[in-house]
Amino acid sequence: MQSFSLALLFAVYILNPFCIALSSVSPKHTLFDIPVSNNGARCRIIVNKKQLDESEVSISSPAELGGFRSEEYLKVNPQGKVPALKIHETGLCLAESDTCARYLLSTYEGVGPSFQPNNPISNQIARFHDLYLTTIQMCLYKAGPPFGSFHTRQDALKEYSKQLHVIANLFPDHSGPYICGSDVSLADATLFPSIVFASHMYPKFAHHLEGSDFIPDRISRWFQGLIASEDAFRKVYDEMMGALQKWDENGRWDTIWLAGVRDEEPETLFDKIVSGEISATIVKEDDKIMAFKDINPAAPAHVLVIPKDRNGLTRLSKATKEQSEMLGHLMVAAGEIAAAESLGFGNGARIVVNDGSSAGQEVFHLHIHVLGGREFTWPPG
């Protein structure tokens, strides 16, 4: 019987070798992901650490189905993003990193580490990561705003660092290599790839931001320890860094504000007013703008409104989408000042921006003139 079976198998192989090959390696699951994806990387870490071979989980690129927006891939993930997981036995397709990761942990619960130690902090960190880091991480690589709920890159970067510090403060006190001690957890798999991103990308913006602890020391030590000692994590690190280095070679950050493009114009009189080096009669101020009386007024009421951080706004014609929120903030402040009778404004005001020296701009730090207290004619001089 055994010789008959071997003879039959040999005959089938000769007639249709592709069929035999497929039957020997056909995976139970296909994980659709790309090397640079930090969200999909948590699933790859789980696959690596549990040592799941291609008969269990095969990793493929959406390009194999025609790309992210192809009809075939949109059947797998209607959002056209990675990661996504196809379960071949049922045809069910799952999307989003946490969903895919938890499915793998449940399905392969008895294989390798559980990633679910008896410590709720693991799930807390993973949740904080997905709610407060992933939603604004595009500030590290996207060409322009919005960056989640933020409209300036500076604010998003500051918030990203703040949330890293929040997460670092959740790390339990222990001596083990993982966040929760001696047991690898979902928190490790979730946070590690995002620190690959942050450690590579943040230095491109660091010159503009105060402080050198964008990534808390506690997270940095944990991160470097996993790279040095954990093959499953090191493999993902190498995959992601290979892709990020190609981004560098292709000049991805060359045209991104605060990375390849910076405000390199000299400081002006207004910077000294903001710093307090030169005094002024300040009539309105918040964390973004300052308004003060013009020392050479062209009307009984004459106030200048400026951004505290020039951030490239030397003149209005230099504005980009990066400054959209600031421009709106300046105009709202100008409108509030124009309505302030206590400053000498009456029924209306003239609000002016001089753009360039031919238009009368003398200080190349964008400023709005709010003039009132008298009648104005049109056209202006």
Side-chain angles (χ1 to χ4, degrees), residues 169-293:
N169 288 335
L170 292 174
F171 275 39
D173 292 325
H174 58 72
S175 58
Y178 305 112
I179 290 174
C180 294
S182 60
D183 295 323
V184 66
S185 71
L186 185 60
D188 296 291
T190 299
L191 185 60
F192 179 87
S194 289
I195 305 306
V196 178
F197 263 19
S199 63
H200 182 76
M201 299 179 191
Y202 170 70
K204 302 176 189 300
F205 304 96
H207 66 95
H208 189 80
L209 299 173
E210 297 179 0
S212 58
D213 60 342
F214 182 81
I215 301 175
D217 185 59
R218 195 169 192 180
I219 289 181
S220 293
R221 292 196 308 270
W222 158 82
F223 176 67
Q224 293 298 332
L226 289 181
I227 293 174
S229 64
E230 280 284 337
D231 290 343
F233 287 82
R234 176 72 196 197
K235 181 180 180 182
V236 164
Y237 174 82
D238 289 340
E239 290 169 351
M240 293 183 68
M241 286 303 301
L244 290 175
Q245 285 162 4
K246 289 181 181 178
W247 281 12
D248 285 336
E249 293 166 4
N250 293 333
R252 184 178 185 105
W253 285 274
D254 291 353
T255 58
I256 289 182
W257 180 246
L258 299 184
V261 182
R262 306 173 184 177
D263 186 346
E264 297 179 333
E265 294 298 317
E267 287 190 348
T268 71
L269 169 73
F270 292 166
D271 293 297
K272 294 181 179 180
I273 291 176
V274 171
S275 69
E277 185 178 344
I278 294 178
S279 63
T281 304
I282 299 170
V283 300
K284 188 177 184 65
E285 182 178 11
D286 60 27
D287 63 323
K288 300 290 185 184
I289 63 96
M290 178 181 285
F292 47 87
K293 292 183 177 181

Side-chain angles (χ1 to χ4, degrees), residues 28 86-88 106 185 221 224 233 301 340 361 365 376:
K28 295 178 181 177
K86 184 170 184 177
I87 307 166
H88 291 288
S106 174
S185 71
R221 292 196 308 270
Q224 293 298 332
F233 287 82
Q361 183 177 3
H365 181 138
F376 293 92

Side-chain angles (χ1 to χ4, degrees), residues 85-151:
L85 186 71
K86 184 170 184 177
I87 307 166
H88 291 288
E89 182 179 5
T90 63
L92 178 66
C93 296
L94 303 175
E96 300 301 328
S97 52
D98 189 66
T99 304
C100 297
R102 291 181 186 276
Y103 170 85
L104 291 172
L105 295 182
S106 174
T107 300
Y108 296 100
E109 181 179 7
V111 180
S114 71
F115 283 83
Q116 294 289 341
N118 186 25
N119 192 328
I121 289 300
S122 169
N123 287 333
Q124 180 74 89
I125 289 175
R127 186 63 174 159
F128 273 27
H129 170 276
D130 290 350
L131 285 176
Y132 307 118
L133 288 182
T134 300
T135 53
I136 59 172
Q137 70 176 23
M138 64 286 293
C139 68
L140 292 163
Y141 56 82
K142 187 180 172 186
F147 310 110
S149 60
F150 294 91
H151 293 274

Side-chain angles (χ1 to χ4, degrees), residues 321-354:
K321 287 180 66 177
E322 291 273 354
Q323 289 100 13
S324 297
E325 184 179 60
M326 176 57 74
L327 293 173
H329 197 71
L330 289 167
M331 289 301 292
V332 169
E336 292 172 348
I337 290 166
E341 294 183 4
S342 62
L343 294 175
F345 292 95
N347 186 24
R350 176 160 288 176
I351 298 176
V352 178
V353 174
N354 297 326

